[in-house]
Amino acid sequence: MSNNVKQFINENWDKCIKCNRNDNGTLIGLPYPYTVPAVGHFDEMYYWDTYFTNKGLIIDKKAELAKYNVDNMLYLVNKYGFMPNGNRTYYLNRSQPPFLSEMVKDIYELYRDPVWLSSAYNTLKKEYSFWQTKRCSKLGLNYYGADVQDNDSCLSSAKLFIKRTGFSPDMDCLKLGRHCLSTCESGWDINPRWDCEGYNFAPVDLNSLMFMMESNMSYFAEELKCSEENLWQERADNRRKLMLEYMDSGNGLLLDYNFVTNRRSSILSAASFYPLFAGLADKRNAQAVVENIDRLEAEFGILTCEKNDKCGIYQWNYPNGWACLQYIAVAGLERYGYHNDAKRIACKYVNLVEKIFEETGNLWEKYNVVSGSLDVNSEYGTPPMMGWSAGVYLAALEYADK
């Protein structure tokens, strides 16, 4: 079956390539060809999706296309001062999880081009500045939000939240709209982790990625011999210290932290694998994740969130599993030496994708990892998907075969 899925992916990569160099309506033109998440459904590239897509492209010996994706993102950061959610004008009020420094690292370690790296390094400084000036709490940890000045945008976002979740919280609509927009920037749109006040939370996944950015920038500075590696390492060390101080639930698990109420999220989610993925967890934190893995692991993979009683329908919640989170869990566990756990989860995702592919002849955006089906909690249906579903499948298959 793996050969069938691999052949399907290989035959469909090219159908996910767009080339739009000129602005067209809301679509922002990009200088190079780029990938979209699915065949026939999109004309725009999405930020964090592309990190996982690139993993598959590189495995499938399409590194040049992966580099084009990264160069397009660097172009957008230079143009706007940050990487938007995607290359649409209506996405210019928000970003997405900051994986760009990791993508730059992947490309640099393939091509070893110091001139390209020097340019990318200076561009990444702009992205870092965006997060530190537009999305940073007084505590020094980052949060998700959106640059929206008018009430109408917040009110329409509140209506969107209610429509998609089927739940109307008893709260100010402007605040609900801000929360909805913050979940959109998180990529986890929409999820139950933050009690309808996502803009007041320092998420463990976001801050883990910021730690990775700071660590990567230290590495890049050392490679470029520009004498800034210590500055970046100090920033990473300080962030790690803050995260361990404020996010530790008491048993070693790192959870999202509400810096207004000084409380942690009541829901354990797959975001707690990110400190392992980023390499900031200490042994105690890593062990706590493994000791609690049964709360997030189902028969067919890693759950987005543990089972909970939050009101509403959230696609980033139990019993759904997303490709990106399987990858984060496997990579994080492997990084800390939990090889058997990592391999077990990789095999579960491979088996799930192959099972559903045999039944439907396609890959999908998300899956029910409890029943091993497409019976998911969904706010807008479950579209066919290449993108990260294909990229993570190839990465998981490669890992499972080791």
Side-chain angles (χ1 to χ4, degrees):
M1 176 54 66
S2 63
N3 287 336
N4 293 341
V5 179
K6 287 173 68 176
Q7 181 180 352
F8 175 84
I9 292 171
N10 188 264
E11 291 174 351
N12 280 276
W13 278 132
D14 289 348
K15 298 177 185 177
C16 296
I17 300 173
K18 299 288 183 176
C19 189
N20 295 298
R21 291 190 171 87
N22 299 314
D23 296 348
N24 182 12
T26 63
L27 187 67
I28 300 168
L30 296 174
Y32 305 101
Y34 59 90
T35 56
V36 298
V39 178
H41 288 274
F42 302 91
D43 287 315
E44 66 275 359
M45 174 177 66
Y46 285 84
Y47 185 1
W48 77 311
D49 301 54
T50 306
Y51 170 73
F52 304 94
T53 301
N54 272 9
K55 291 293 184 182
L57 291 172
I58 291 169
I59 290 170
D60 243 357
K61 304 188 186 308
K62 297 181 183 293
E64 183 179 36
L65 183 54
K67 184 177 184 296
Y68 284 156
N69 281 338
V70 176
D71 284 335
N72 282 320
M73 291 186 183
L74 294 169
Y75 165 82
L76 288 170
V77 175
N78 278 321
K79 184 172 184 176
Y80 296 109
F82 74 108
M83 176 58 207
N85 187 149
N87 58 314
R88 290 281 187 183
T89 54
Y90 49 75
Y91 287 146
L92 292 178
N93 65 359
R94 63 179 182 265
S95 186
Q96 270 198 328
F99 277 92
L100 183 52
S101 75
E102 273 294 292
M103 289 189 249
V104 167
K105 183 179 178 183
D106 285 345
I107 297 303
Y108 173 66
E109 293 187 340
L110 281 172
Y111 290 95
R112 289 288 172 181
D113 183 345
V115 176
W116 180 86
L117 180 63
S118 179
S119 176
Y121 175 75
N122 289 322
T123 300
L124 286 169
K125 286 182 178 180
K126 297 178 183 179
E127 185 186 32
Y128 185 77
S129 178
F130 163 82
W131 287 101
Q132 293 301 95
T133 58
K134 297 287 189 73
R135 303 286 192 270
C136 195
S137 68
K138 292 181 180 179
L139 191 64
L141 294 172
N142 296 91
Y143 60 88
Y144 289 117
D147 297 325
V148 176
Q149 307 299 326
D150 61 292
N151 289 345
D152 287 346
S153 295
C154 283
L155 290 174
S156 63
S157 295
K159 291 178 181 177
L160 176 66
F161 178 93
I162 294 168
K163 179 181 178 181
R164 285 178 59 173
T165 64
F167 170 53
S168 182
D170 183 16
M171 63 183 295
D172 180 82
C173 284
L174 293 178
K175 291 182 178 179
L176 179 60
R178 284 185 63 201
H179 167 70
C180 183
L181 287 166
S182 71
T183 68
C184 290
E185 185 166 79
S186 78
W188 291 46
D189 52 322
I190 298 171
N191 74 80
R193 289 161 55 188
W194 304 317
D195 298 322
C196 294
E197 52 177 315
Y199 48 85
N200 286 336
F201 273 86
V204 64
D205 45 349
L206 171 58
N207 283 279
S208 295
L209 292 173
M210 291 300 296
F211 172 88
M212 288 188 93
M213 186 189 299
E214 290 157 346
S215 299
N216 286 338
M217 292 295 275
S218 179
Y219 165 62
F220 299 154
E222 187 174 5
E223 289 290 293
L224 295 169
K225 298 180 172 56
C226 64
S227 303
E228 294 179 343
E229 60 267 27
N230 290 338
L231 169 66
W232 290 107
Q233 190 57 54
E234 287 171 6
R235 290 170 174 171
D237 291 343
N238 182 62
R239 184 179 302 276
R240 179 179 184 274
K241 179 181 177 182
L242 289 171
M243 291 180 68
L244 295 184
E245 178 179 355
Y246 289 101
M247 294 180 175
D248 192 326
S249 61
N251 63 358
L253 284 174
L254 301 185
L255 302 174
D256 306 322
Y257 180 73
N258 189 318
F259 49 81
V260 175
T261 64
N262 299 318
R263 295 179 179 176
R264 297 171 196 87
S265 174
S266 60
I267 295 178
L268 177 64
S269 76
S272 289
F273 284 103
Y274 274 74
L276 281 67
F277 173 69
L280 70 88
D282 60 24
K283 291 182 179 180
R284 175 173 172 271
N285 306 133
Q287 184 63 36
V289 170
V290 174
E291 289 175 353
N292 286 274
I293 202 168
D294 60 317
R295 295 166 62 184
L296 289 171
E297 184 177 356
E299 184 176 352
F300 292 93
I302 292 295
L303 294 156
T304 306
C305 296
E306 66 180 333
K307 194 171 186 178
N308 58 78
D309 59 1
K310 294 292 183 180
C311 294
I313 296 172
Y314 304 88
Q315 62 177 359
W316 289 83
N317 195 14
Y318 180 97
N320 297 353
W322 293 76
C324 51
L325 301 180
Q326 314 305 310
Y327 183 92
I328 295 296
V330 170
L333 291 165
E334 173 62 23
R335 184 167 190 165
Y336 280 77
Y338 296 101
H339 309 293
N340 293 338
D341 296 293
K343 188 162 187 174
R344 183 179 68 251
I345 292 166
C347 289
K348 284 186 174 186
Y349 183 70
V350 168
N351 292 338
L352 172 62
V353 171
E354 292 178 355
K355 174 182 180 294
I356 303 299
F357 182 82
E358 186 173 10
E359 295 168 0
T360 66
N362 221 325
L363 307 184
W364 300 87
E365 183 193 52
K366 54 188 174 287
Y367 298 91
N368 182 322
V369 295
V370 174
S371 63
S373 70
L374 296 178
D375 181 20
V376 294
N377 279 341
S378 185
E379 303 150 18
Y380 56 69
T382 302
M385 185 69 63
M386 275 283 290
W388 59 19
S389 296
V392 173
Y393 171 81
L394 292 175
L397 182 65
E398 187 176 71
Y399 185 82
D401 287 343
K402 287 182 179 179

